[in-house]
Amino acid sequence: MSTPDQSQPATSYDTVVAMLAAQLEIDAATILPDTELATLGVDSLTVAELIFDLEDKFDITLGDERPSLVVVQDIVDNIDRYLNNKPAA
């Protein structure tokens, strides 16, 4: 896997993968969009912590809605949906 171009901002996918890798202490290269969260050992507590961290990182509030999160891309899609609806600062 190539190193991301540091002149480009990280995508929400890159951020989710980096945060998951750090939280689970695994190599980010092993995390793909279709990787099942259960396969990574992600439980409901890990998801809750990740969501709180992502809310802080992206300055969004996902609220109490917890959609079905099965694969890594599900997390990214939800973050992107909120980012796309976030009012301009």
Side-chain angles (χ1 to χ4, degrees), residues 11-21 24 26-42 46-47 50-51 54 67-80:
T11 64
S12 55
Y13 173 78
D14 294 333
T15 302
V16 168
V17 168
M19 292 175 94
L20 265 174
L24 300 172
I26 60 175
D27 183 0
T30 65
I31 302 173
L32 302 172
D34 62 348
T35 301
E36 291 186 12
L37 298 173
T39 302
L40 295 173
V42 174
T46 304
V47 168
L50 180 65
I51 295 298
L54 288 166
S68 176
L69 302 174
V70 177
V71 297
V72 172
Q73 189 64 47
D74 293 337
I75 298 171
V76 175
D77 291 344
N78 280 285
I79 294 298
D80 287 345

